[in-house]
Amino acid sequence: MTETAPKTAAEFFRFLDSLNIPHSTKSHPPVFTVAESESLRDAIPGGHTKNLFVKDKKDRYFVLTVEERATVDLKTVHKVIGASGRVSFGRPEKLMEYLGVVPGAVTVFGAFNDAGRNVTFVLDEDLMKHDVINGHPLSNDATTSIDRDDLIRFLEATGHTPLVLKVTD
């Protein structure tokens, strides 16, 4: 089995351009937590995301993309997303293999690296109330902003049909 290198942010931006999806990106120091990223709010308008990479008992993987301050009950969310039993956090090795990112840089845009469609992407209904959604462009040293509807178009173009569900408390 040959490992393929994760795609780059530049490749991601070219992909968005090929889909005629307007986007803007702001570089910043690496941020690993929501608390670290709060200083960016004034400079980057829109809905800011928190992304949870989880797996179920059958080793099916999900990315739950929610508003940065939202809480997800990991004991019950499996009932909403259709997982087999309770979910737990996915291993860093699978995060890199499937999404091409490291812990602290989980992003809905990781779908760009998931050519095998190993991950189901779940967008929280509350997050989707924002006109603009922000996420890391495959690394946590920048934030990319795109329109809510274009986020869905991007996911579909990568072969992922996102689930838009109420997964937060």
Side-chain angles (χ1 to χ4, degrees):
M1 179 173 144
T2 57
E3 296 265 337
T4 57
K7 294 176 183 134
T8 65
E11 291 171 300
F12 166 64
F13 299 141
R14 282 194 299 275
F15 183 70
L16 291 178
D17 291 342
S18 76
L19 298 170
N20 295 313
I21 292 178
H23 56 93
S24 63
T25 299
K26 182 168 181 55
S27 295
H28 50 71
V31 292
F32 294 91
T33 66
V34 168
E36 289 176 357
S37 68
E38 287 180 335
S39 64
L40 305 171
R41 293 306 152 258
D42 292 340
I44 306 171
H48 291 270
T49 57
K50 171 170 56 177
N51 297 272
L52 306 176
F53 180 65
V54 298
K55 71 175 208 65
D56 70 8
K57 289 182 178 182
K58 291 187 176 178
D59 285 335
R60 293 186 317 159
Y61 287 82
F62 301 82
V63 168
L64 309 178
T65 301
V66 304
E67 284 188 284
E68 64 183 351
R69 294 215 167 269
T71 57
V72 176
D73 185 348
L74 292 180
K75 293 177 183 159
T76 60
V77 74
H78 66 282
K79 297 173 187 170
V80 178
I81 65 174
S84 296
R86 286 189 181 175
V87 297
S88 59
F89 288 106
R91 294 192 333 267
E93 303 81 35
K94 289 296 183 186
L95 182 59
M96 178 54 75
E97 178 183 344
Y98 293 158
L99 303 182
V101 297
V102 297
V106 180
T107 174
V108 67
F109 297 134
F112 185 53
N113 278 311
D114 186 26
R117 294 177 188 83
N118 296 295
V119 179
T120 298
F121 289 84
V122 180
L123 307 173
D124 187 59
E125 283 180 355
D126 289 345
L127 174 68
M128 297 306 285
K129 292 176 183 172
H130 292 276
D131 292 331
V132 174
I133 308 292
N134 298 293
H136 294 310
L138 309 176
S139 65
N140 62 356
D141 59 355
T143 297
T144 296
S145 306
I146 69 171
D147 181 82
R148 160 192 62 226
D149 296 332
D150 287 335
L151 174 60
I152 291 175
R153 239 177 15 100
F154 156 76
L155 286 165
E156 289 173 344
T158 66
H160 298 85
T161 301
L163 302 176
V164 179
L165 303 168
K166 177 71 171 142
V167 296
T168 55
D169 294 338

